[in-house]
Amino acid sequence: MHDLIFVLRQSVTITLFVVIMMLIIEYLNVFSKGLWSKGLSSSPWKQILLSAVLGIIPGCLGAYTAVSLYVHNLIGTAALATAMIATSGDEAFFMFSIIPEQALMINIALFVIAIAAGFVINFFTKRKAGVVNYPEKHMVIHQEESDCFCYKGKDIIANFRNFSLYRGVFMAVIIAILVFVVFFTGHDHSETLEIVTQGDHGHQHPEWIRTTFIIVLLAALFIIITVNDHFIHHHIIDHVIKKHLLRIFLWTFGTLLVLHFADHYFDLESLIGNNLYVVLLVAVLIGIIPQSGPHLMFVVLFASGNLPLSILLASSIVQDGHGSLPLLAESRKGFLLIKGINIAVGLVVGGAGLMMGM
């Protein structure tokens, strides 16, 4: 029972952090609407650089945007592959919550690898459009409505004059969590924010996690106060809460529970250490799955000291969370092509890293 409560507490903490980060990313994505599609179709290098930036954004929104641009012939195969190499889907949120310092370095490495791979692919493909041409009326996969205005100073007062129940609930929840984190956690209560599985493997930084949590909570509170009701209903409730909250918690809880008990009954460090290249191949093959969740095991294994960096990097290169689901729905050929490129890059990077002892 104690182990179950421990895993449950970890899962709730991670889920809260991930959902709040998704809220912030949703806000930034809406706030910066329309900045990425200017002058792209005639400039492959702009496509690649922009796609790397979109891919490095935690979560799936950047990848969704890249796919939308691809099926509208605004970016080409090289640029889309760049985005999918750079993205880690929802696992990026987990990495920043569990191993923030290593996550930063991993994302920088993914950004550089993605750009380099993008220019190599562009050299061989020399294409500015996607694999399949689509009519202009083709539906945009993730498009923010024009009436969703974020942060208009004059509207803040109006938000409180017409105070909605949902806004009040979200504000109350965030403030309650913020008060708890500020006043009831710290050096004497760091175990409350301990997100990594048990054991001292050099990856646990509770104070850093606490500070990060406070910052994102304040940012989330600012967003809830300033956005209009449209954003709250259509972006927070319909997208973040309904589509992601339960799934994130269940995947987190299930993965942590399995790995927690596996660590008790198996010597994972020796098992993985003696079969590194097999584990690399498994990580790459699992990366084909267009789903956030199965890949979380590699993040947790790395955070617990049982997996080398090179395999986590290869997993991050190949997997893209839900980012490729819209592509799979629109173009099976495009999906297979991009996944094939990602697999090749992941195997090269992972294999080279293992040979160098990373």
Side-chain angles (χ1 to χ4, degrees), residues 80 83 92 112 120 127 148 211 225-226 321 328:
L80 182 61
V112 173
V120 171
R127 298 187 64 181
C148 182
T211 303
I225 291 174
T226 58
L328 179 62

Side-chain angles (χ1 to χ4, degrees), residues 161-180:
R161 285 177 178 171
N162 304 296
F163 201 71
S164 68
L165 175 62
Y166 287 121
R167 190 187 304 274
V169 170
F170 288 139
M171 287 180 61
V173 170
I174 293 173
I175 291 173
I177 298 172
L178 187 59
V179 169
F180 177 77

Side-chain angles (χ1 to χ4, degrees), residues 5-241:
I5 294 174
F6 177 79
V7 174
L8 180 63
R9 187 183 63 188
Q10 290 178 312
S11 302
V12 171
T13 304
I14 294 175
T15 301
L16 284 173
F17 186 92
V18 170
V19 169
I20 292 172
M21 284 297 296
M22 292 181 71
L23 164 64
I24 295 173
I25 294 300
E26 185 86 7
Y27 175 85
L28 294 175
N29 193 61
V30 173
F31 192 76
S32 59
K33 178 187 176 183
L35 295 180
W36 48 69
S37 60
K38 298 178 181 178
L40 286 178
S41 58
S42 61
S43 179
W45 71 268
K46 286 184 181 179
Q47 296 177 26
I48 291 171
L49 292 178
L50 174 63
S51 296
V53 172
L54 290 174
I56 214 68
I57 296 173
C60 299
L61 291 178
Y64 287 163
T65 303
V67 173
S68 179
L69 295 174
Y70 176 76
V71 299
H72 284 81
N73 293 319
L74 292 174
I75 65 173
T77 302
L80 182 61
T82 299
M84 294 306 177
I85 291 171
T87 190
S88 299
D90 291 344
E91 274 65 26
F93 292 116
F94 290 106
M95 285 193 284
F96 277 109
S97 62
I98 295 176
I99 44 171
E101 295 174 2
Q102 292 87 348
L104 179 61
M105 299 306 298
I106 289 171
N107 276 268
I108 291 174
L110 288 173
F111 184 77
V112 173
I113 293 170
I115 290 177
F119 279 108
V120 171
I121 296 167
N122 182 70
F123 177 78
F124 287 102
T125 59
K126 299 292 185 182
R127 298 187 64 181
K128 299 179 182 178
V131 174
V132 180
N133 292 320
Y134 293 91
E136 292 184 1
K137 66 179 181 180
H138 192 275
M139 183 179 65
V140 176
I141 293 168
H142 187 84
Q143 170 142 3
E144 294 71 33
E145 295 81 355
S146 60
D147 61 339
C148 182
F149 300 109
C150 301
Y151 187 53
K152 281 193 170 184
K154 65 180 181 180
D155 291 335
I156 297 178
I157 297 177
N159 288 340
F160 283 90
R161 285 177 178 171
N162 304 296
F163 201 71
S164 68
L165 175 62
Y166 287 121
R167 190 187 304 274
V169 170
F170 288 139
M171 287 180 61
V173 170
I174 293 173
I175 291 173
I177 298 172
L178 187 59
V179 169
F180 177 77
V181 173
V182 171
F183 294 104
F184 297 97
T185 65
H187 295 293
D188 296 330
H189 306 276
S190 60
E191 70 276 6
T192 304
L193 292 177
E194 181 183 299
I195 298 179
V196 187
T197 52
Q198 290 175 317
D200 183 10
H201 302 283
H203 294 294
Q204 300 179 31
H205 302 278
E207 192 60 34
W208 172 265
I209 295 172
R210 177 175 179 270
T211 303
T212 305
F213 214 178
I214 292 172
I215 293 173
V216 299
L217 283 168
L218 289 172
L221 183 60
F222 168 82
I223 292 171
I224 294 298
I225 291 174
T226 58
V227 297
N228 61 12
D229 289 339
H230 171 90
F231 186 92
I232 290 177
H233 283 277
H234 292 278
H235 294 273
I236 299 178
I237 297 174
D238 290 344
H239 182 224
V240 176
I241 303 299

Side-chain angles (χ1 to χ4, degrees), residues 268-341:
L268 294 178
E269 187 171 359
S270 298
L271 184 64
I272 294 174
N274 296 330
N275 301 278
L276 288 178
Y277 287 95
V278 175
V279 175
L280 171 62
L281 181 61
V282 171
V284 168
L285 291 177
I286 291 179
I288 299 174
I289 302 172
Q291 168 77 24
S292 289
H295 323 287
L296 177 60
M297 70 178 73
F298 300 105
V299 178
V300 178
L301 285 171
F302 173 77
S304 62
N306 293 315
L307 192 77
L309 174 62
S310 54
I311 294 181
L312 177 59
L313 194 59
S315 172
S316 300
I317 288 171
V318 180
Q319 74 95 2
D320 40 55
H322 293 97
S324 60
L325 276 178
L327 179 63
L328 179 62
E330 302 296 342
S331 171
R332 310 298 188 277
K333 181 180 178 181
F335 175 84
L336 293 175
L337 175 62
I338 297 302
K339 278 298 183 181
I341 293 172

